[in-house]
């Protein structure tokens, strides 16, 4: 019988690149009798990327998104408008994506819409993604991303997703696969052992960030799930013991930021919160901040209170209600100081910092163009 084979990933390797340098590149081809340049199709003159900084660089910026998770093309078009607003907030060095790009990971069209509607963004950004639960089984993350060099030494089964780590300037970034977890144990033994070893080898990093799909602390129904509860019990003590600074996640399409927490999940004095909605951490402090990033898509889940968790949220910079707009975060590192700011995307394409002014004694939230 007839069959269709999708050839959906090509890899090009560049050797001999300099650290901290910008490179221009192009992607072209022939469609029928027409020769095309993909950058012009994306609406920009050229594509570019910047390599990781060299030794000694301590300043960098990145953005974090989660759960694009569209079902039809128009939903991805709305995500593209939100990402355009994100790109207008300033430069960044890389992107951490907490997963669920597609609502159905087996749907090739959804992946196509996700990438094609955001072609300029993905072609000009270094995006690191983890697998969401909608991308579980069948190696779906590997079909559309090439992290082979980062996972090759771990010997892991990549069917449900990937776990790996990398260094950037003064930061160590750990990407976990929360599909590889269950209600009895949390993360699998193999992944947990890898994580402990990775953290032990990482003692010298000034900053440590974790990216995972399923959030350990969220304002939604998934906070009650057995695998999430098991991972919360398993990982919160570990993250605190090994000095993790920030954990970024999605899964529940709600937006929450915890106080900095110790290994028992209790708040500790570490973060400084400004009335403009920015949260500041100093390196060397103890306490882990957990962020559920909401969604860069258009599926907004009901905010559901969990009495065992809700009191740990910082109400000054959380949205303790069902979302009405897309959300994302920007993180800026300047030497020994990290600044975290969450944003909503407004219907007119502007963005607003997420802040509850009433928690500071009243006033309107600031708005950025």
């Amino acid at each position: 019988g007839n069959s269709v084979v999708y050839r959906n990933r090509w890899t090009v390797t560049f050797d001999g690149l300099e650290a901290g340098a910008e490179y221009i590149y192009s992607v072209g081809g022939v469609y029928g009798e027409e020769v095309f340049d993909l950058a012009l199709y994306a609406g920009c003159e050229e594509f570019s990327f910047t390599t990781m900084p060299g030794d000694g660089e301590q300043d960098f910026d990145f953005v974090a998104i989660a759960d694009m998770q569209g079902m039809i093309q128009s939903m991805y078009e709305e995500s593209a408008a939100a990402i355009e607003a994100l790109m207008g907030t300033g430069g960044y060095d890389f992107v951490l994506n907490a997963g669920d790009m597609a609502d159905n990971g087996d749907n090739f069209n959804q992946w196509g819409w996700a990438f094609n509607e955001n072609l300029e963004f993905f072609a000009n950004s270094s995006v690191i993604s983890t697998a969401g639960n909608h991308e579980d089984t069948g190696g779906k993350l590997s079909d559309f991303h090439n992290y082979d060099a980062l996972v090759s030494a771990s010997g892991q089964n990549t069917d449900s997703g990937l776990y790996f780590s990398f260094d950037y300037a003064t930061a160590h970034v750990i990407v976990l696969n929360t599909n590889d977890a269950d209600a009895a144990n949390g993360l699998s033994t193999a992944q947990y052992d890898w994580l402990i070893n990775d953290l032990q080898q990482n003692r010298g990093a000034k900053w440590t960030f974790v990216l995972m799909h399923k959030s350990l602390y969220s304002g939604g129904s998934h906070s009650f799930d057995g695998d999430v509860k098991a991972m919360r019990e398993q990982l919160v003590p570990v993250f605190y013991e090994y000095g993790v600074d920030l954990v970024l996640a999605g899964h529940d399409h709600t937006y929450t930021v915890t106080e900095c927490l110790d290994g028992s999940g209790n708040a500790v004095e570490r973060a400084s919160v400004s009335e403009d909605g920015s949260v500041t951490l100093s390196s060397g402090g103890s306490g882990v901040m957990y962020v559920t990033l909401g969604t860069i898509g258009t599926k907004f889940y009901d905010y559901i209170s969990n009495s065992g968790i809700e009191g740990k949220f910082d109400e000054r910079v959380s949205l303790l209600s069902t979302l009405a707009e897309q959300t994302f975060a920007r993180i800026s590192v300047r030497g020994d100081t990290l600044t975290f700011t969450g944003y909503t995307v407004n219907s007119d394409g502007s963005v607003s910092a997420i802040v509850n002014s009433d928690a500071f004694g009243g006033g309107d939230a600031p708005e950025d163009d």
Side-chain angles (χ1 to χ4, degrees):
N2 295 327
S3 63
V4 177
V5 178
Y6 291 113
R7 304 294 184 186
N8 51 51
R9 193 190 81 189
W10 288 263
T11 299
V12 177
T13 301
F14 299 97
D15 294 320
L17 304 182
E18 297 180 3
E22 182 181 16
Y23 291 88
I24 307 300
Y25 75 100
S26 62
V27 178
V30 178
Y31 185 77
E33 297 181 355
E34 180 182 357
V35 178
F36 66 89
D37 182 334
L38 204 57
L40 298 179
Y41 175 81
C44 53
E45 294 184 0
E46 58 195 13
F47 294 146
S48 68
F49 65 90
T50 301
T51 54
M52 293 202 306
D55 293 341
E57 180 59 50
Q58 300 191 65
D59 299 347
F60 59 94
D61 302 89
F62 65 97
V63 296
I65 60 174
D67 295 271
M68 186 177 291
Q69 202 181 330
M71 293 177 285
I72 57 177
Q73 185 172 2
S74 62
M75 297 174 73
Y76 287 98
E77 291 171 350
E78 291 185 61
S79 290
I83 285 181
E84 184 177 358
L86 176 159
M87 294 171 69
T89 61
Y92 51 86
D93 296 292
F94 58 91
V95 180
L96 296 184
N97 176 13
D100 275 357
M101 287 271 288
D103 185 72
N104 178 358
D106 289 322
N107 188 317
F108 185 84
N109 287 328
Q110 290 178 2
W111 285 101
W113 293 325
F115 288 116
N116 291 338
E117 295 295 335
N118 298 284
L119 182 54
E120 182 180 1
F121 174 70
F122 285 107
N124 291 293
S125 306
S126 297
V127 182
I128 303 297
S129 300
T130 189
N133 58 297
H134 287 260
E135 297 142 1
D136 193 359
T137 72
K140 297 178 183 67
L141 188 65
S142 298
D143 282 347
F144 296 92
H145 305 76
N146 186 351
Y147 302 135
D148 294 350
L150 295 171
V151 304
S152 60
S154 64
Q156 64 186 272
N157 182 347
T158 59
D159 182 71
S160 67
L162 309 170
Y163 53 88
F164 55 89
S165 66
F166 64 94
D167 296 319
Y168 191 97
T170 57
H172 185 67
V173 182
I174 297 170
V175 180
L176 297 180
N177 174 19
T178 56
N179 294 328
D180 179 31
D182 59 43
N185 304 298
L187 292 183
S188 70
T189 299
Q191 185 174 182
Y192 179 80
D193 290 347
W194 172 88
L195 172 64
I196 296 299
N197 181 69
D198 186 84
L199 288 166
Q200 289 175 341
Q201 300 298 316
N202 172 46
R203 291 291 194 179
K206 181 172 290 188
W207 301 100
T208 302
F209 308 130
V210 173
L211 176 70
M212 54 198 298
H213 178 64
K214 296 179 180 179
S215 176
L216 303 184
Y217 294 98
S218 67
S221 62
H222 288 306
S223 67
F224 299 92
D225 291 351
D227 57 346
V228 171
K229 291 169 66 176
M231 285 190 289
R232 192 157 56 235
E233 181 176 347
Q234 175 192 47
L235 297 177
V236 168
V238 170
F239 290 161
Y240 180 72
E241 177 184 354
Y242 286 97
V244 171
D245 299 289
L246 180 63
V247 178
L248 299 164
H251 197 37
D252 270 319
H253 297 197
T254 57
Y255 184 90
T256 54
V257 179
T258 68
E259 304 274 4
C260 288
L261 305 179
D262 66 15
S264 299
N266 298 316
V268 295
E269 292 291 333
R270 183 184 183 191
S272 173
V273 182
S274 300
E275 292 191 29
D276 65 357
S278 61
V279 182
T280 301
L281 303 178
S282 295
S283 66
S286 296
V288 187
M289 193 168 82
Y290 297 82
V291 180
T292 306
L293 290 161
T295 174
I296 201 69
T298 56
K299 293 176 66 176
F300 304 123
Y301 292 178
D302 289 340
Y303 183 90
I304 298 175
S305 176
N306 181 337
S307 60
I309 290 176
E310 189 170 51
K312 303 181 188 301
F313 298 145
D314 190 328
E315 66 176 13
R316 295 169 294 180
V317 287
S318 295
L319 295 172
L320 303 181
S321 60
T322 301
L323 293 177
E325 299 89 15
Q326 294 130 310
T327 52
F328 66 93
R330 287 187 61 97
I331 297 91
S332 175
V333 173
R334 297 292 178 267
D336 293 333
T337 302
L338 177 150
T339 303
F340 173 97
T341 310
Y343 293 93
T344 56
V345 180
N346 305 313
S347 59
D348 63 358
S350 65
V351 302
S352 297
I354 296 173
V355 58
N356 176 14
S357 296
D358 290 341
F360 293 93
D364 295 327
E367 183 172 300
D368 299 317
D369 295 327

mmCIF file of all heavy atoms in Angstrom, residues 64 255 257 276-279 289 291-293 317-319 326-331 339-345 351-355 366 368:
data_model
loop_
_atom_site.group_PDB
_atom_site.id
_atom_site.type_symbol
_atom_site.label_atom_id
_atom_site.label_comp_id
_atom_site.label_asym_id
_atom_site.label_seq_id
_atom_site.Cartn_x
_atom_site.Cartn_y
_atom_site.Cartn_z
ATOM 1 N N ALA A 64 12.130 32.181 29.165
ATOM 2 C CA ALA A 64 11.546 30.869 29.448
ATOM 3 C C ALA A 64 10.083 30.872 29.029
ATOM 4 O O ALA A 64 9.343 31.816 29.335
ATOM 5 C CB ALA A 64 11.679 30.534 30.934
ATOM 6 N N TYR A 255 0.157 30.461 36.269
ATOM 7 C CA TYR A 255 1.437 31.136 36.479
ATOM 8 C C TYR A 255 1.651 31.397 37.965
ATOM 9 O O TYR A 255 0.916 32.173 38.588
ATOM 10 C CB TYR A 255 1.489 32.464 35.715
ATOM 11 C CG TYR A 255 2.832 33.140 35.841
ATOM 12 C CD1 TYR A 255 3.838 32.896 34.932
ATOM 13 C CD2 TYR A 255 3.099 34.002 36.905
ATOM 14 C CE1 TYR A 255 5.088 33.492 35.068
ATOM 15 C CE2 TYR A 255 4.332 34.599 37.052
ATOM 16 C CZ TYR A 255 5.323 34.335 36.133
ATOM 17 O OH TYR A 255 6.548 34.911 36.272
ATOM 18 N N VAL A 257 4.873 31.718 41.165
ATOM 19 C CA VAL A 257 6.273 31.823 41.597
ATOM 20 C C VAL A 257 6.301 31.579 43.099
ATOM 21 O O VAL A 257 5.589 32.260 43.849
ATOM 22 C CB VAL A 257 6.859 33.217 41.284
ATOM 23 C CG1 VAL A 257 8.303 33.305 41.752
ATOM 24 C CG2 VAL A 257 6.744 33.519 39.796
ATOM 25 N N ASP A 276 8.168 46.735 40.828
ATOM 26 C CA ASP A 276 7.971 46.618 39.383
ATOM 27 C C ASP A 276 7.795 45.172 38.946
ATOM 28 O O ASP A 276 7.654 44.883 37.751
ATOM 29 C CB ASP A 276 9.131 47.258 38.621
ATOM 30 C CG ASP A 276 10.463 46.544 38.854
ATOM 31 O OD1 ASP A 276 10.515 45.581 39.642
ATOM 32 O OD2 ASP A 276 11.471 46.972 38.238
ATOM 33 N N GLY A 277 7.792 44.237 39.909
ATOM 34 C CA GLY A 277 7.568 42.827 39.598
ATOM 35 C C GLY A 277 8.822 42.010 39.395
ATOM 36 O O GLY A 277 8.741 40.819 39.071
ATOM 37 N N SER A 278 9.994 42.585 39.582
ATOM 38 C CA SER A 278 11.234 41.835 39.415
ATOM 39 C C SER A 278 11.649 41.181 40.737
ATOM 40 O O SER A 278 11.490 41.759 41.805
ATOM 41 C CB SER A 278 12.356 42.739 38.905
ATOM 42 O OG SER A 278 12.622 43.783 39.815
ATOM 43 N N VAL A 279 12.158 39.963 40.628
ATOM 44 C CA VAL A 279 12.650 39.207 41.779
ATOM 45 C C VAL A 279 14.160 39.088 41.637
ATOM 46 O O VAL A 279 14.663 38.677 40.593
ATOM 47 C CB VAL A 279 12.019 37.804 41.843
ATOM 48 C CG1 VAL A 279 12.500 37.053 43.081
ATOM 49 C CG2 VAL A 279 10.499 37.895 41.810
ATOM 50 N N MET A 289 13.780 28.774 44.080
ATOM 51 C CA MET A 289 12.556 29.394 43.591
ATOM 52 C C MET A 289 11.975 28.531 42.469
ATOM 53 O O MET A 289 12.678 28.189 41.511
ATOM 54 C CB MET A 289 12.835 30.810 43.078
ATOM 55 C CG MET A 289 11.586 31.630 42.839
ATOM 56 S SD MET A 289 11.962 33.390 42.560
ATOM 57 C CE MET A 289 12.388 33.367 40.818
ATOM 58 N N VAL A 291 9.066 28.071 39.550
ATOM 59 C CA VAL A 291 8.171 28.861 38.709
ATOM 60 C C VAL A 291 7.378 27.931 37.793
ATOM 61 O O VAL A 291 7.953 27.079 37.105
ATOM 62 C CB VAL A 291 8.955 29.865 37.842
ATOM 63 C CG1 VAL A 291 8.005 30.674 36.962
ATOM 64 C CG2 VAL A 291 9.795 30.785 38.724
ATOM 65 N N THR A 292 6.060 28.076 37.801
ATOM 66 C CA THR A 292 5.212 27.474 36.782
ATOM 67 C C THR A 292 4.915 28.573 35.775
ATOM 68 O O THR A 292 4.316 29.597 36.118
ATOM 69 C CB THR A 292 3.901 26.938 37.378
ATOM 70 O OG1 THR A 292 4.211 26.052 38.459
ATOM 71 C CG2 THR A 292 3.107 26.182 36.325
ATOM 72 N N LEU A 293 5.346 28.386 34.523
ATOM 73 C CA LEU A 293 5.466 29.467 33.558
ATOM 74 C C LEU A 293 4.165 29.835 32.862
ATOM 75 O O LEU A 293 4.166 30.736 32.013
ATOM 76 C CB LEU A 293 6.516 29.092 32.502
ATOM 77 C CG LEU A 293 7.964 29.077 33.006
ATOM 78 C CD1 LEU A 293 8.840 28.266 32.067
ATOM 79 C CD2 LEU A 293 8.492 30.501 33.158
ATOM 80 N N VAL A 317 4.126 38.334 42.984
ATOM 81 C CA VAL A 317 4.537 38.118 41.593
ATOM 82 C C VAL A 317 3.918 36.861 40.994
ATOM 83 O O VAL A 317 4.411 36.336 39.995
ATOM 84 C CB VAL A 317 6.078 38.072 41.485
ATOM 85 C CG1 VAL A 317 6.669 39.457 41.667
ATOM 86 C CG2 VAL A 317 6.685 37.089 42.481
ATOM 87 N N SER A 318 2.850 36.346 41.598
ATOM 88 C CA SER A 318 2.114 35.206 41.064
ATOM 89 C C SER A 318 0.739 35.667 40.599
ATOM 90 O O SER A 318 0.232 36.707 41.026
ATOM 91 C CB SER A 318 1.945 34.116 42.134
ATOM 92 O OG SER A 318 3.182 33.556 42.508
ATOM 93 N N LEU A 319 0.129 34.888 39.704
ATOM 94 C CA LEU A 319 -1.247 35.115 39.283
ATOM 95 C C LEU A 319 -2.092 33.997 39.880
ATOM 96 O O LEU A 319 -2.171 32.909 39.314
ATOM 97 C CB LEU A 319 -1.350 35.138 37.759
ATOM 98 C CG LEU A 319 -0.619 36.295 37.071
ATOM 99 C CD1 LEU A 319 -0.623 36.115 35.554
ATOM 100 C CD2 LEU A 319 -1.249 37.632 37.439
ATOM 101 N N GLN A 326 -1.448 35.098 27.620
ATOM 102 C CA GLN A 326 -0.238 34.284 27.567
ATOM 103 C C GLN A 326 0.837 34.870 28.478
ATOM 104 O O GLN A 326 0.825 36.067 28.781
ATOM 105 C CB GLN A 326 0.270 34.214 26.125
ATOM 106 C CG GLN A 326 -0.658 33.469 25.197
ATOM 107 C CD GLN A 326 -0.954 34.239 23.927
ATOM 108 O OE1 GLN A 326 -1.316 35.412 23.967
ATOM 109 N NE2 GLN A 326 -0.806 33.585 22.785
ATOM 110 N N THR A 327 1.754 34.018 28.904
ATOM 111 C CA THR A 327 2.783 34.432 29.852
ATOM 112 C C THR A 327 4.149 33.891 29.441
ATOM 113 O O THR A 327 4.259 32.880 28.747
ATOM 114 C CB THR A 327 2.457 33.921 31.271
ATOM 115 O OG1 THR A 327 2.201 32.513 31.210
ATOM 116 C CG2 THR A 327 1.235 34.626 31.847
ATOM 117 N N PHE A 328 5.193 34.568 29.901
ATOM 118 C CA PHE A 328 6.566 34.103 29.723
ATOM 119 C C PHE A 328 7.415 34.787 30.776
ATOM 120 O O PHE A 328 6.931 35.627 31.548
ATOM 121 C CB PHE A 328 7.091 34.401 28.308
ATOM 122 C CG PHE A 328 7.243 35.867 27.990
ATOM 123 C CD1 PHE A 328 8.457 36.517 28.181
ATOM 124 C CD2 PHE A 328 6.173 36.598 27.486
ATOM 125 C CE1 PHE A 328 8.600 37.872 27.901
ATOM 126 C CE2 PHE A 328 6.306 37.958 27.190
ATOM 127 C CZ PHE A 328 7.521 38.589 27.399
ATOM 128 N N ALA A 329 8.694 34.446 30.837
ATOM 129 C CA ALA A 329 9.594 35.045 31.825
ATOM 130 C C ALA A 329 10.913 35.412 31.176
ATOM 131 O O ALA A 329 11.353 34.784 30.203
ATOM 132 C CB ALA A 329 9.832 34.088 32.989
ATOM 133 N N ARG A 330 11.550 36.446 31.725
ATOM 134 C CA ARG A 330 12.905 36.848 31.336
ATOM 135 C C ARG A 330 13.798 36.761 32.560
ATOM 136 O O ARG A 330 13.401 37.182 33.660
ATOM 137 C CB ARG A 330 12.941 38.276 30.793
ATOM 138 C CG ARG A 330 12.341 38.455 29.409
ATOM 139 C CD ARG A 330 12.605 39.879 28.908
ATOM 140 N NE ARG A 330 14.042 40.126 28.803
ATOM 141 C CZ ARG A 330 14.738 40.017 27.672
ATOM 142 N NH1 ARG A 330 14.142 39.672 26.554
ATOM 143 N NH2 ARG A 330 16.036 40.262 27.657
ATOM 144 N N ILE A 331 14.993 36.230 32.364
ATOM 145 C CA ILE A 331 15.961 36.115 33.446
ATOM 146 C C ILE A 331 17.244 36.814 33.005
ATOM 147 O O ILE A 331 17.768 36.553 31.908
ATOM 148 C CB ILE A 331 16.250 34.634 33.783
ATOM 149 C CG1 ILE A 331 14.974 33.957 34.299
ATOM 150 C CG2 ILE A 331 17.354 34.525 34.832
ATOM 151 C CD1 ILE A 331 14.127 33.313 33.236
ATOM 152 N N THR A 339 18.127 38.543 38.105
ATOM 153 C CA THR A 339 16.830 39.225 38.150
ATOM 154 C C THR A 339 15.835 38.452 37.297
ATOM 155 O O THR A 339 16.091 38.196 36.111
ATOM 156 C CB THR A 339 16.937 40.664 37.633
ATOM 157 O OG1 THR A 339 17.914 41.373 38.409
ATOM 158 C CG2 THR A 339 15.600 41.375 37.757
ATOM 159 N N PHE A 340 14.719 38.088 37.907
ATOM 160 C CA PHE A 340 13.664 37.318 37.243
ATOM 161 C C PHE A 340 12.415 38.188 37.130
ATOM 162 O O PHE A 340 11.993 38.811 38.105
ATOM 163 C CB PHE A 340 13.345 36.063 38.059
ATOM 164 C CG PHE A 340 12.162 35.279 37.546
ATOM 165 C CD1 PHE A 340 12.353 34.185 36.733
ATOM 166 C CD2 PHE A 340 10.862 35.640 37.876
ATOM 167 C CE1 PHE A 340 11.278 33.463 36.238
ATOM 168 C CE2 PHE A 340 9.778 34.932 37.394
ATOM 169 C CZ PHE A 340 9.984 33.843 36.573
ATOM 170 N N THR A 341 11.818 38.230 35.944
ATOM 171 C CA THR A 341 10.582 38.982 35.745
ATOM 172 C C THR A 341 9.636 38.179 34.879
ATOM 173 O O THR A 341 10.021 37.692 33.804
ATOM 174 C CB THR A 341 10.836 40.344 35.073
ATOM 175 O OG1 THR A 341 11.881 41.038 35.769
ATOM 176 C CG2 THR A 341 9.570 41.191 35.082
ATOM 177 N N GLY A 342 8.393 38.023 35.337
ATOM 178 C CA GLY A 342 7.359 37.384 34.544
ATOM 179 C C GLY A 342 6.534 38.422 33.809
ATOM 180 O O GLY A 342 6.401 39.569 34.265
ATOM 181 N N TYR A 343 5.973 38.031 32.664
ATOM 182 C CA TYR A 343 5.197 38.956 31.842
ATOM 183 C C TYR A 343 3.915 38.311 31.335
ATOM 184 O O TYR A 343 3.877 37.107 31.064
ATOM 185 C CB TYR A 343 6.010 39.396 30.613
ATOM 186 C CG TYR A 343 7.215 40.241 30.934
ATOM 187 C CD1 TYR A 343 8.467 39.647 31.118
ATOM 188 C CD2 TYR A 343 7.111 41.626 31.041
ATOM 189 C CE1 TYR A 343 9.584 40.424 31.407
ATOM 190 C CE2 TYR A 343 8.221 42.402 31.329
ATOM 191 C CZ TYR A 343 9.447 41.799 31.513
ATOM 192 O OH TYR A 343 10.552 42.568 31.807
ATOM 193 N N THR A 344 2.884 39.123 31.191
ATOM 194 C CA THR A 344 1.709 38.745 30.417
ATOM 195 C C THR A 344 1.750 39.492 29.092
ATOM 196 O O THR A 344 2.293 40.599 28.997
ATOM 197 C CB THR A 344 0.394 39.091 31.142
ATOM 198 O OG1 THR A 344 0.374 40.491 31.448
ATOM 199 C CG2 THR A 344 0.261 38.294 32.432
ATOM 200 N N VAL A 345 1.174 38.853 28.062
ATOM 201 C CA VAL A 345 1.067 39.483 26.744
ATOM 202 C C VAL A 345 -0.349 40.016 26.594
ATOM 203 O O VAL A 345 -1.322 39.256 26.679
ATOM 204 C CB VAL A 345 1.375 38.469 25.628
ATOM 205 C CG1 VAL A 345 1.253 39.145 24.262
ATOM 206 C CG2 VAL A 345 2.774 37.885 25.806
ATOM 207 N N VAL A 351 3.355 44.126 26.501
ATOM 208 C CA VAL A 351 3.537 43.188 27.602
ATOM 209 C C VAL A 351 3.510 43.951 28.918
ATOM 210 O O VAL A 351 3.858 45.136 28.974
ATOM 211 C CB VAL A 351 4.856 42.389 27.474
ATOM 212 C CG1 VAL A 351 4.909 41.616 26.166
ATOM 213 C CG2 VAL A 351 6.069 43.299 27.607
ATOM 214 N N SER A 352 3.079 43.263 29.960
ATOM 215 C CA SER A 352 3.042 43.856 31.297
ATOM 216 C C SER A 352 3.769 42.953 32.269
ATOM 217 O O SER A 352 3.582 41.726 32.246
ATOM 218 C CB SER A 352 1.591 44.036 31.770
ATOM 219 O OG SER A 352 0.878 44.925 30.942
ATOM 220 N N ALA A 353 4.600 43.546 33.102
ATOM 221 C CA ALA A 353 5.240 42.765 34.162
ATOM 222 C C ALA A 353 4.180 42.243 35.114
ATOM 223 O O ALA A 353 3.199 42.932 35.426
ATOM 224 C CB ALA A 353 6.246 43.637 34.914
ATOM 225 N N ILE A 354 4.358 41.019 35.561
ATOM 226 C CA ILE A 354 3.399 40.400 36.473
ATOM 227 C C ILE A 354 3.705 40.852 37.888
ATOM 228 O O ILE A 354 4.761 40.543 38.448
ATOM 229 C CB ILE A 354 3.455 38.867 36.372
ATOM 230 C CG1 ILE A 354 3.018 38.417 34.975
ATOM 231 C CG2 ILE A 354 2.570 38.215 37.445
ATOM 232 C CD1 ILE A 354 3.195 36.933 34.716
ATOM 233 N N VAL A 355 2.788 41.615 38.468
ATOM 234 C CA VAL A 355 2.984 42.106 39.822
ATOM 235 C C VAL A 355 1.626 42.438 40.415
ATOM 236 O O VAL A 355 0.745 42.974 39.744
ATOM 237 C CB VAL A 355 3.913 43.347 39.836
ATOM 238 C CG1 VAL A 355 3.343 44.470 38.975
ATOM 239 C CG2 VAL A 355 4.174 43.827 41.249
ATOM 240 N N PRO A 366 2.981 48.357 36.646
ATOM 241 C CA PRO A 366 3.662 49.034 35.543
ATOM 242 C C PRO A 366 3.458 48.279 34.251
ATOM 243 O O PRO A 366 3.254 47.069 34.244
ATOM 244 C CB PRO A 366 5.139 49.009 35.971
ATOM 245 C CG PRO A 366 5.237 47.841 36.886
ATOM 246 C CD PRO A 366 3.918 47.772 37.601
ATOM 247 N N ASP A 368 4.997 47.743 30.220
ATOM 248 C CA ASP A 368 6.080 47.987 29.279
ATOM 249 C C ASP A 368 5.533 47.884 27.868
ATOM 250 O O ASP A 368 4.655 47.087 27.590
ATOM 251 C CB ASP A 368 7.209 46.950 29.461
ATOM 252 C CG ASP A 368 7.795 47.021 30.847
ATOM 253 O OD1 ASP A 368 8.026 48.142 31.334
ATOM 254 O OD2 ASP A 368 8.017 45.950 31.427
#
